[in-house]
Amino acid sequence: TVVRHAGRLSAGSPAWERALELVGQEPYRAFVALGAPLGTVGLFEALRERRPGIVLVSLGYPDDPLAMQAAADLAVTLDHEAKSATLARLAANFGAEGIAHLVVKGDERSWEAELRGATLSRLAAERGLAYERKELTLADMRKDPALVAAELVAAAASGKPWAYTSDAPELAEQLFYAALDGGDFYIEGAAPLYGVRYGGAANLDDLPRAFDSAALSRGAAGRAAFWPGEQTEALGRALLSHVAASVARPALLRDAEALGRALRKSWPASAWLVEQYRDPDSKVRAKNHLSLSSYAYVAGRGYIKF
């Protein structure tokens, strides 16, 4: 059963109440938060109180990692260090002057967004690249995404091309077009929303071909990159399969190799690395927190190692 929600999860909201209703029913053995929003930790605590034996799993989250580790049976996140390192290397190899990082300014601090920004800023500096953080307001996000993306690219500093990346899934595809049309570079930060395809691909298998076609049609071969396997559908399919298998064999849930097999089955074209999350301060690994990374796909060139 799918429960859809946008924005922050809070007690009393329709998605919150629907989740509590479902986990109270015997057929439901697990609750998986795909693209977990702020408030997921609180929801997990409420679900655990309602039904202590329910399996709680999150994919991505803006809440503090220690809080999520305490609330969930398994937390899965992308390896931001690996992804940011690849992004900075690509920007440098493309010949970019710097990286323009687009973020959505919210009322609450997002741990995940702060980590991405700090990591990317540091790695850009190590490559001799400028780093510019551009904050979008909620009012900006209510505008036509194509218009917002075009305005952001047009407002960039003149001179050498910049590499654009974004934490806003709503802007992913339109930023791709706007950057290439402006003679700049596009490197995916957050995958597009569910159902949106770069270049109008009909399904996931068509994504690399459609991405190549869209980039080449704009005379920008080799100036765009993304992570096809990290699209919402591919990750969600793999994680749901993994959780379903672990219902009968609970030891599989936190098994990095088992999750890796599910990811390779969902998206076999790319290499996958799954390992226990290591706290950046204490260096302690969390048994119920796995981080994953995959190869980036460069338009006209294929997959590259991270």
Side-chain angles (χ1 to χ4, degrees):
T1 298
V2 178
V3 179
R4 299 190 184 279
H5 179 74
R8 194 191 197 287
L9 275 168
S10 57
S13 65
W16 185 290
E17 294 303 319
R18 179 61 173 154
L20 287 173
E21 176 190 350
L22 288 171
V23 300
Q25 300 175 27
E26 188 59 32
Y28 295 96
R29 305 284 298 277
F31 184 90
V32 183
L34 300 177
L38 275 167
T40 300
V41 166
L43 174 61
F44 276 12
E45 291 170 347
L47 294 174
R48 184 79 71 196
E49 184 177 352
R50 172 66 61 89
R51 188 172 171 192
I54 195 75
V55 175
L56 301 174
V57 179
S58 71
L59 173 63
Y61 54 87
D63 291 304
D64 182 271
L66 296 180
M68 181 59 80
Q69 290 164 15
D73 293 290
L74 176 66
V76 179
T77 53
L78 297 176
D79 186 335
H80 296 297
E81 183 79 20
K83 190 164 188 175
S84 294
T86 298
L87 197 155
R89 179 159 64 93
L90 284 169
N93 289 348
F94 287 170
E97 180 175 336
I99 298 173
H101 182 192
L102 314 183
V103 299
V104 179
K105 183 179 181 180
D107 295 330
E108 300 180 71
R109 175 182 175 273
S110 165
W111 170 85
E112 196 172 28
E114 293 294 328
L115 173 63
R116 284 197 296 267
T119 302
L120 190 53
S121 175
R122 171 176 54 83
L123 293 171
E126 291 177 2
R127 293 275 177 180
L129 298 170
Y131 173 81
E132 185 174 343
R133 177 186 171 102
K134 294 177 176 288
E135 289 192 343
L136 306 175
T137 65
L138 295 179
D140 291 326
M141 298 308 295
R142 286 193 285 269
K143 299 178 183 176
D144 180 353
L147 178 62
V148 173
E151 289 176 346
L152 288 167
V153 172
S158 59
K160 292 174 63 179
W162 279 66
Y164 286 84
T165 190
S166 169
D167 288 351
E170 302 90 335
L171 285 180
E173 186 161 21
Q174 295 302 328
L175 185 61
F176 169 55
Y177 300 139
L180 295 185
D181 288 345
D184 292 296
F185 311 129
Y186 169 81
I187 306 173
E188 182 182 86
L193 294 171
Y194 179 85
V196 177
R197 313 286 188 203
Y198 293 116
N203 56 59
L204 286 175
D205 293 337
D206 290 338
L207 270 174
R209 176 200 54 75
F211 192 77
D212 282 345
S213 177
L216 289 168
S217 69
R218 286 168 160 76
R223 297 194 296 173
F226 78 136
W227 281 260
E230 294 177 14
Q231 308 300 293
T232 305
E233 300 98 314
L235 289 180
R237 185 169 60 199
L239 187 58
L240 290 172
S241 173
H242 175 72
V243 173
S246 72
V247 168
R249 299 177 59 190
L252 287 179
L253 185 66
R254 301 177 180 180
D255 188 325
E257 286 296 324
L259 178 56
R261 288 193 295 271
L263 287 163
R264 288 189 290 273
K265 184 176 180 179
S266 175
W267 193 262
S270 177
W272 291 93
L273 176 64
V274 184
E275 56 188 359
Q276 287 183 332
Y277 171 84
R278 184 191 293 271
D279 184 86
D281 298 318
S282 67
K283 307 305 180 185
V284 173
R285 293 188 181 275
K287 292 182 179 179
N288 70 329
H289 186 168
L290 299 176
S291 66
L292 58 93
S293 55
S294 64
Y295 285 1
Y297 185 92
V298 180
R301 300 182 188 176
Y303 288 96
I304 66 164
K305 294 183 179 181
F306 47 78

